[in-house]
């Protein structure tokens, strides 16, 4: 696939605060990303998804395709989870019912199948998962977020197999 500049990057940075996800400073990943893209000038465009809900992600991806400016990269900066009960990985978005809250927002965990369907439908060539456990699986190696995205048609995925300390 040949991409014409500018490279369009959608930053998804949910910060729920509940038993599924604890708050960490969004600047730890966002600032280096912004700094790197600023160096590219007109060759790159960054959009920050607001609110950082799954519904808003689907709507923004649809809007961009319809406008003729689809995203080339979705950069998810947040929490990843692996459910032993379901044997699947997922991402923690903010609950749509909490978008007006300034703190203590609940998580909406979106598991691999639903996420893969949305990203594939909008032909996202690269998904960067700055989120713990997004390459983790227990029994089935295809159950991780990364493997499912690749299996369902996302061309490239960057993911983590373990939890990491964010500083």
């Amino acid at each position: 696939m040949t991409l014409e500049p500018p490279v369009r990057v959608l930053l998804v940075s949910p910060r729920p605060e509940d038993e599924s996800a604890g708050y960490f400073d969004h600047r730890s990943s966002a600032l280096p990303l912004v700094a790197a893209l600023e160096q590219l000038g007109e060759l790159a465009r960054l959009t920050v998804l607001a609110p950082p809900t799954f519904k808003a992600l689907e709507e923004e991806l649809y809007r961009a395709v319809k406008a003729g400016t689809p995203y080339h990269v979705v950069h998810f900066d947040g929490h990843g989870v692996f459910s032993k009960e379901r044997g699947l990985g997922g991402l923690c978005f903010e609950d749509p019912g909490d978008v007006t809250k300034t703190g203590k927002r609940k998580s909406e965990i979106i598991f691999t199948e639903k996420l893969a369907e949305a990203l594939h439908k909008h032909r996202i060539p690269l998904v960067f998962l700055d989120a713990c456990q997004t390459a983790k699986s227990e029994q089935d190696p295809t159950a991780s977020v990364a493997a499912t995205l690749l299996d369902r048609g996302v061309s490239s995925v960057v993911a983590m197999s373990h939890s990491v300390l964010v500083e």
Side-chain angles (χ1 to χ4, degrees), residues 7 21 26-27 46-47 67 81 97 112 140 146 151 163:
V7 173
H26 62 278
R27 296 172 294 185
L46 176 67
T47 302
V81 296
T112 55
D140 180 2
D151 185 55
S163 295

Side-chain angles (χ1 to χ4, degrees), residues 3-22:
L3 302 178
E4 294 294 321
V7 173
R8 289 178 291 281
V9 179
L10 179 61
L11 175 60
V12 182
S13 190
R15 291 298 183 265
E17 297 177 76
D18 60 13
E19 66 282 347
S20 297

Side-chain angles (χ1 to χ4, degrees), residues 32 38 47 78 133 146 148 155:
E38 280 180 343
T47 302
Q133 301 182 16
T148 301
S155 301

Side-chain angles (χ1 to χ4, degrees), residues 37-97:
L37 292 176
E38 280 180 343
Q39 292 180 20
L40 297 174
E42 292 300 313
L43 296 175
R45 289 214 179 101
L46 176 67
T47 302
V48 178
L49 182 68
T53 65
F54 183 70
K55 182 177 189 248
L57 172 65
E58 289 182 304
E59 290 170 353
E60 178 59 18
L61 294 175
Y62 176 77
R63 184 212 57 77
V65 167
K66 190 172 179 182
T69 56
Y71 288 100
H72 303 116
V73 180
V74 170
H75 182 117
F76 182 89
D77 171 34
H79 287 283
V81 296
F82 185 82
S83 169
K84 289 183 180 186
E85 296 81 32
R86 293 183 70 166
L88 292 173
L91 300 179
C92 294
F93 286 81
E94 290 182 16
D95 186 287

Side-chain angles (χ1 to χ4, degrees), residues 131-155:
C132 298
Q133 301 182 16
T134 49
K136 181 179 180 173
S137 65
E138 297 268 323
Q139 302 293 326
D140 180 2
T142 64
S144 74
V145 176
T148 301
L149 294 178
L150 290 168
D151 185 55
R152 302 280 170 86
V154 174
S155 301

